[in-house]
Amino acid sequence: MTQTCITIKKMTMAYGDFIIQRDLDFKINQGDIFIIMGGSGCGKSTLMMHLIGMIMPSKGDIFYGKENLWGSNVSTQRLLLNKTGVLFQSGALLSSMTVGENIALPISENTQLNKKNIQEIVEYKLSLVGLAGFSDYYPSEISGGMQKRAGLARAMALDPEILFFDEPSAGLDPISSKLLDDLILSLRDNLKATIVMVTHELASIFSIGNNSVFLDPESKRMIAEGDPNKLLKTSKDERVIKFLSRSKK
């Protein structure tokens, strides 16, 4: 039986009186590679910020399992969000720290492990993303694709149950993008993690996504949800078809 990981109920996102999306209602299942997609300005990254506890909804609820994220006290929120890891669009590595120090930071801040054990975890996480031996390099000394993988290793530092990626392929060449997609699939399968990904890249949407929500910037509502490959074949909405068939035009 499929278990629900995150539930969004009747949620409205807004900055003051400016509505970004209203009446969002969908579920993210355990083990999904869930794609948040839609046209420019529809609120994809803003939705992710709501899901990771950085922005509070104007209305509605976000449930992690049966726990209401924004209806919980601070300590419960922290426990829920400690089950997540985030890869931001830029990789967001601290330039003054080595790759290894970047990955060690969340471990040292959230555990009582000694330096030796932390270093062992760092080396293991780097090996998972194909960066064994790069612990002492600074972000400026490695390529953009390697920076993304290092950011992914840091997102996995605390063995999260849910990983959030904001445009992970942005700025990468097609080969690096494909390698990153393959890595994401491998991590989902090997670590049994649920992955929520903001992207507009069709290659990624179709090759690794098995569930999705489509946000429309004009109506400010979700107008489709489900497997992107099935949506392309079955959707009757021209906005969805136009977005998902860009490569065929």
Side-chain angles (χ1 to χ4, degrees):
M1 183 177 177
T2 302
Q3 287 190 315
T4 301
C5 187
I6 300 175
T7 303
I8 289 77
K9 289 188 175 182
K10 302 185 184 307
M11 189 176 80
T12 293
M13 305 188 301
Y15 292 119
D17 294 331
F18 181 75
I19 302 294
I20 300 169
Q21 288 285 325
R22 57 164 60 90
D23 298 327
L24 298 180
D25 221 333
F26 61 90
K27 294 180 179 180
I28 299 170
N29 296 317
Q30 187 173 11
D32 273 351
I33 295 184
F34 188 94
I35 308 294
I36 299 172
M37 59 183 179
S40 178
C42 68
K44 298 185 294 294
S45 294
T46 303
L47 174 54
M48 193 186 88
M49 299 297 257
H50 280 72
L51 297 180
I52 63 175
M54 296 188 72
I55 303 176
M56 185 176 181
S58 295
K59 295 180 182 178
D61 300 295
I62 299 170
F63 289 88
Y64 274 66
K66 295 182 179 180
E67 295 284 350
N68 189 332
L69 177 62
W70 292 101
S72 302
N73 58 40
V74 173
S75 60
T76 300
Q77 283 185 346
R78 186 174 295 124
L79 287 173
L80 294 174
L81 295 174
N82 278 347
K83 298 178 181 180
T84 70
V86 184
L87 173 61
F88 292 102
Q89 186 173 148
S90 63
L93 297 174
L94 298 173
S95 60
S96 61
M97 291 183 171
T98 65
V99 168
E101 289 169 342
N102 268 278
I103 299 166
L105 186 61
I107 305 173
S108 61
E109 288 186 343
N110 291 281
T111 73
Q112 301 298 318
L113 295 174
N114 59 43
K115 288 185 177 180
K116 181 182 178 182
N117 288 337
I118 291 175
Q119 188 57 36
E120 290 174 350
I121 294 172
V122 167
E123 295 296 341
Y124 174 63
K125 300 302 181 182
L126 284 172
S127 69
L128 286 177
V129 299
L131 289 178
F134 283 87
S135 179
D136 293 331
Y137 284 69
Y138 284 88
S140 61
E141 296 176 319
I142 59 178
S143 69
M146 294 168 76
Q147 290 178 26
K148 289 289 180 76
R149 283 187 278 152
L152 179 52
R154 186 179 60 184
M156 298 189 303
L158 296 173
D159 296 323
E161 298 174 9
I162 310 167
L163 286 164
F164 292 91
F165 302 150
D166 189 6
E167 298 283 7
S169 300
L172 299 184
D173 61 83
I175 294 175
S176 297
S177 181
K178 175 63 166 61
L179 290 173
L180 186 60
D181 284 347
D182 291 343
L183 176 59
I184 290 170
L185 273 175
S186 175
L187 293 173
R188 190 276 308 268
D189 294 340
N190 292 329
L191 302 179
K192 308 303 180 186
T194 300
I195 293 169
V196 181
M197 187 164 79
V198 172
T199 186
H200 67 278
E201 300 286 348
L202 288 180
S204 297
I205 289 171
F206 289 129
S207 64
I208 67 175
N210 72 296
N211 199 0
S212 70
V213 63
F214 189 99
L215 307 181
D216 177 49
E218 295 182 8
S219 65
K220 301 183 185 298
R221 295 178 184 275
M222 54 177 283
I223 57 174
E225 61 179 316
D227 186 319
N229 289 281
K230 292 181 180 178
L231 288 178
L232 178 60
K233 296 177 181 178
T234 63
S235 178
K236 305 300 182 183
D237 194 302
E238 292 183 2
R239 295 163 292 184
V240 177
I241 297 302
K242 184 178 180 180
F243 180 89
L244 291 176
S245 60
R246 285 170 290 151
S247 62
K248 305 181 189 306
K249 298 297 183 183

